[in-house]
Amino acid sequence: MDFGLVLQTDPPASAVVELMRRAEQRGFRYGWTFDSAVLWQEPFVIHSRILEHTERLIVGPMVTNPSTRTPEVTASTFATLNDMYGNRTVCGIGRGDSAMRVAGRKPNTLAVLRDAIRVIRDLAEGREADVGGTTLKLPWVRDGRLPVWMAAYGPKALALAGQEADGFILQLADPYLTEWMVKSVRTAAAEAGRDPSAITICVAAPAYIGDDLAHAREQCRWFGGMVGNHVADLVARYGAAGAVPSELTAYVKDRHGYDYSHHGRAGNPSTDFVPDEIVDRFCLLGPAEAHRERLRALRELGVDQFAVYAMHDAREATIDAYGSAVIPALG
């Protein structure tokens, strides 16, 4: 199993770079950042510095979207980083939540996302792509490679991930829901004539190692609120049960709006509707052995990477604890 570190690009950027260096030294193979240009600093500028100050770390956004940058700009950005640092990037992409809503726009449709996945990958790898009726190619790309991993929760999005993406990003660590969603992605891949086992499965969630479970929950409760944004959309589209498991949807019944100024941060006041049970299911909390046990279960379900959201008060301690007590047991 691979391990990744997920950070917000809060200033100073040098602190983000140093945490990524620390993660690589502790055995992490991937470095991810949020991508919401209004809420945080521009990630791709910082990605360049991370790549410069690491040797092997694979770097990318978790996740970008098709609209805040046009697909050809996104492809050129990745291709430039790959040309400079040797194909060490991965494109995590989704419909767009905070980046779009903060700017007063709705998340993209799945049709737009499908086209963007194809265009970004083709252009970044040196092939021609149709962009709005115009055939484009980046003539300077040589031996480019860009895996595109798609974040998804709902049935149609999961199907699209199976049909088009090189990897699937699931932003929660509940084994029951992971099994259901991975099966959906792989079934869609098989039906599309693809090899289901070739799709990389990445689970991303907060991890907090320690014995004070109440404190860990409060530091990670924000995650239930972030996931709740996507779940609320699913409930509006599919209803509270049926197409989507109630294990995912039931807890948002008491949700009342969301303030993106606290997005992804410990102490987010918009997440008081998130019960302890959801925090415990969606996140990895407790002593190191509890983390190892959950990760073994996820690995049995086909998870290839666990990416640690480290938006809490123990970032360095979590990186170090994973490097000493978790990664050696599962890596």
Side-chain angles (χ1 to χ4, degrees):
M1 178 180 275
D2 286 332
F3 289 83
L5 177 68
V6 190
L7 298 173
Q8 294 171 337
T9 51
D10 287 315
S14 59
V16 178
V17 176
E18 284 304 310
L19 286 168
M20 291 298 187
R21 288 185 64 199
R22 188 185 195 113
E24 182 182 59
Q25 292 165 1
R26 302 301 188 272
F28 288 77
R29 291 195 61 228
Y30 284 76
W32 302 93
T33 70
F34 279 41
D35 180 12
S36 187
V38 173
L39 295 176
W40 305 288
Q41 292 185 330
E42 168 56 36
F44 287 102
V45 176
I46 299 171
H47 290 174
S48 184
R49 296 290 288 173
I50 295 169
L51 288 162
E52 182 180 6
H53 286 85
T54 56
E55 297 179 1
R56 301 169 301 280
L57 203 68
I58 299 169
V59 177
M62 188 177 281
V63 292
T64 193
N65 70 83
S67 294
T68 51
R69 303 170 196 82
T70 59
E72 68 272 20
V73 171
T74 298
S76 183
T77 301
F78 276 111
T80 301
L81 292 172
N82 282 338
D83 186 65
M84 293 171 68
Y85 300 106
N87 287 338
R88 287 171 52 205
T89 66
V90 57
C91 177
I93 194 167
R95 294 174 59 231
D97 177 38
S98 61
M100 297 297 289
R101 297 184 201 270
V102 166
R105 292 173 290 194
K106 295 181 179 180
N108 295 274
T109 66
L110 290 178
V112 169
L113 181 55
R114 179 192 298 271
D115 291 343
I117 290 172
R118 294 173 177 175
V119 167
I120 292 168
R121 182 170 49 212
D122 283 344
L123 290 179
E125 294 187 345
R127 296 184 294 276
E128 291 184 345
D130 184 298
V131 183
T134 299
T135 300
L136 299 180
K137 183 178 181 179
L138 303 181
W140 46 269
V141 172
R142 298 290 183 272
D143 301 318
R145 182 178 181 276
L146 182 66
V148 180
W149 297 6
M150 180 183 155
Y153 290 108
K156 292 181 180 179
L158 294 168
L160 178 58
Q163 294 159 3
E164 298 288 343
D166 301 297
F168 163 51
I169 297 172
L170 173 58
Q171 291 162 312
L172 55 80
D174 174 74
Y176 174 82
L177 292 172
T178 298
E179 182 176 20
W180 184 83
M181 293 187 186
V182 169
K183 181 179 179 181
S184 297
V185 169
R186 288 183 167 161
T187 297
E191 291 175 349
R194 305 180 71 203
D195 178 2
S197 66
I199 299 175
T200 302
I201 307 297
C202 174
V203 161
Y208 197 109
I209 291 183
D211 295 325
D212 188 343
L213 191 57
H215 179 75
R217 284 171 177 154
E218 291 312 309
Q219 286 293 305
C220 299
R221 197 175 304 276
W222 62 266
F223 185 66
M226 187 181 84
V227 174
N229 294 328
H230 303 286
V231 173
D233 285 346
L234 294 176
V235 171
R237 188 173 299 115
Y238 297 106
V244 182
S246 60
E247 288 82 355
L248 176 63
T249 60
Y251 82 101
V252 301
K253 65 182 184 301
D254 296 321
R255 178 181 181 271
H256 302 288
Y258 190 81
D259 182 355
Y260 278 92
S261 66
H262 305 284
H263 187 58
R265 299 190 186 279
N268 186 337
S270 299
T271 60
D272 56 358
F273 70 94
V274 180
D276 288 350
E277 182 250 345
I278 288 293
V279 182
D280 293 348
R281 282 175 42 212
F282 285 12
C283 306
L284 271 67
L285 312 175
E289 177 52 35
H291 292 243
R292 293 192 295 264
E293 182 179 354
R294 177 80 68 87
L295 290 168
R296 290 187 186 104
L298 292 172
R299 186 173 61 182
E300 287 297 313
L301 296 174
V303 174
D304 300 295
Q305 179 185 156
F306 178 60
V308 175
Y309 278 104
M311 277 66 76
H312 50 56
D313 64 1
R315 296 186 301 181
E316 292 86 352
T318 298
I319 293 168
D320 293 349
Y322 261 70
S324 63
V326 178
I327 293 175
L330 289 118

